[in-house]
Every structure is written in C-alpha cells, then in structure tokens.
Amino acid sequence: MNKPSPSVPKGIYPTKTKIIVSLSFILVIGFYLISSILTESFIFHFFAKIPNIFTLIGDFFPPDWSYINQVWPKLMETIQMAIVATTVAVIISIPFSLLTANTVTTNTYVYQLMRFILNILRTIPDIILAVVFVGLFGIGAFSGIVALIIFSVGILVKLMSEIIETIDMNPTEAIRATGGNGIQTISFAIVPQVLPQFISFSLYVFEINIRASLVLGLVGAGGIGQLLNKEINFLNYPAVSTIIIIVFIVVVIIDYISSKLREGLI
C-alpha cells in the first residue's frame, strides 16, 4: 500500500494579502523617494554629518559647573510656570469637560459649539501661542503661563470628556430619579467615578508643561528656555551643556514622582 505523499504546506498568508502588503510597501517606498527628492533630504545625509556630531559633542564637554548658580533661578521659574499654568488649566477644564461630554450636555448646540472651540484650541501648537502672547504681553513668564494654560486646557478637556462619556450612567439616573439637581448629580455620581483619572491626567499635563515651558522660553516666554537660548546665541556650549544636564535630571525626577503618584491613584 502506497503511503500518501505529504501535502505541500501552504503559506501563512493568502496570495491576495501578500500582494496587498507588497504593493503597500512599494507605495511607501515610492512616497519616501519622492519626498526625499523634493526636499533634497536623504538618510545618508545623516551618516555623512556624523563627524560634525562628534565635533559638537566635544564643544559641549566638559560642562561649565560654575554656571550652575545662574541656572537655578530660571529652573525654579520654569517649575513655577508649570505649576501655575496646570492649576489654572485644571480649574478651567472642569466645566468645559462636562460641557463637551454628550452624557452630561444634552443640548446638541451647546455640545457641538464647545467641541468646536476646543478642537480649535488643540490645533494651535503651544509655541505659536507663546509667540502670539509674547507679542501681546511682552517677553517674560506671564506670556508663557497664558500659552501653557490654553495648551493644557485643550489636552485636559479632550481626555476628561472622553472619560466622562464612558462612565456608568446608572448612579446618575438614580440621583435624577430621586429628585437630585444637576450639581448633586455631578457631585455624587460623576465626580467619584472620574476623580482618580482626572488627578492622573493633571499630573501628566504638569509633566508636559515642564517640557513645554523649556521650549517656550526659546521665543521669549520666560523660564530656563530663555536662558538656554541666550547661551546658544553666545555659542557658550559648556554652559548649554550644564543647563541640559540639570534640566534632564529634574525632568526625570519629576516624571518618576508623577508616575508613582498616578500608580497610586489608578
């Protein structure tokens, strides 16, 4: 009796899927080549400039540790900017989060209007906001704080409205059925469900504001970024290296503390 010949193993993916994947890969490569040609930017340019990177690193080291006394005041200003901006943004975002959640705001026109306004705020980069407010209020921390407030409100409202839309509505309906008003419904049915996430998002936005305030300082919006921009313009690279190292250490510490706090909340 002849043994049955082993069947030829079939491919993991069907032929149609392989063709689609191959065409997609070719399309992506084609877009890359066209974009590289039009922008005159190719990946080998990076490798060709590697010697310049080592030269720049040599200019940055060793850091000028005597410059550290000038860093601390501006670093404290950066942290204070982030604290003020985050605190104000948290307060402002509470009513906006409720107005942009369709489970709370039943008026379609109010809901759509608030979503539209918040979408506009989120589309404006923080550095553009800083440039605008520096032009309005002048160089300094106040311009940066206002820019960070608007930037933070856009993030917080987006995150919180989505959380509010996914909460359990049974407690809300129970309070309304027993004659509770809107404030009571929000206080006893919505807030207990979203408070841990709200605090977590607020800490996350505070981390973002620490980093963002560094960039905003480059356009004159106060903080340590303003000091960094000055030293870069003066080509004082050892001082720049000192600023970068100190900022890196502080940001890592803040991220660690914030992450531990968020782990305890959620």
Side-chain angles (χ1 to χ4, degrees), residues 87-252:
T87 303
V88 176
V90 166
I91 296 172
I92 294 175
S93 65
I94 293 173
F96 280 100
S97 299
L98 296 170
L99 290 172
T100 54
N102 55 19
T103 53
V104 178
T105 304
T106 55
N107 189 308
T108 305
Y109 297 104
V110 174
Y111 171 77
Q112 293 296 339
L113 176 63
M114 297 307 302
R115 298 283 289 193
F116 177 73
I117 294 173
L118 269 299
N119 286 336
I120 292 176
L121 290 181
R122 282 195 299 272
T123 59
I124 305 174
D126 53 348
I127 195 166
I128 300 299
L129 291 170
V131 170
V132 171
F133 290 119
V134 165
L136 291 174
F137 305 118
I139 293 174
F142 182 74
S143 301
I145 290 173
V146 176
L148 287 175
I149 289 172
I150 296 176
F151 174 69
S152 303
V153 167
I155 297 175
L156 278 172
V157 172
K158 172 67 174 177
L159 295 174
M160 284 309 304
S161 62
E162 291 181 352
I163 291 295
I164 294 173
E165 289 177 350
T166 60
I167 63 173
D168 183 9
M169 295 303 296
N170 290 328
T172 302
E173 294 171 358
I175 292 176
R176 288 174 178 170
T178 56
N181 56 32
I183 300 297
Q184 292 172 329
T185 302
I186 293 171
S187 301
F188 299 106
I190 297 176
V191 171
Q193 296 187 66
V194 303
L195 185 59
Q197 290 88 348
F198 185 67
I199 297 174
S200 176
F201 291 149
S202 300
L203 292 171
Y204 173 66
V205 168
F206 173 70
E207 296 174 28
I208 295 175
N209 285 339
I210 290 289
R211 300 184 184 93
S213 58
L214 176 64
V215 178
L216 299 189
L218 297 177
V219 295
I224 198 171
Q226 196 170 340
L227 182 64
L228 179 65
N229 187 45
K230 184 189 76 172
E231 298 305 332
I232 290 174
N233 292 334
F234 289 160
L235 303 181
N236 189 2
Y237 293 129
V240 172
S241 178
T242 303
I243 295 172
I244 292 173
I245 291 172
I246 292 174
V247 169
F248 173 77
I249 293 172
V250 171
V251 168
V252 168

Side-chain angles (χ1 to χ4, degrees), residues 13-27:
Y13 299 105
T15 303
K16 183 179 179 180
T17 302
K18 291 181 179 179
I19 293 174
I20 294 174
V21 171
S22 299
L23 291 176
S24 300
F25 180 75
I26 293 171
L27 189 63

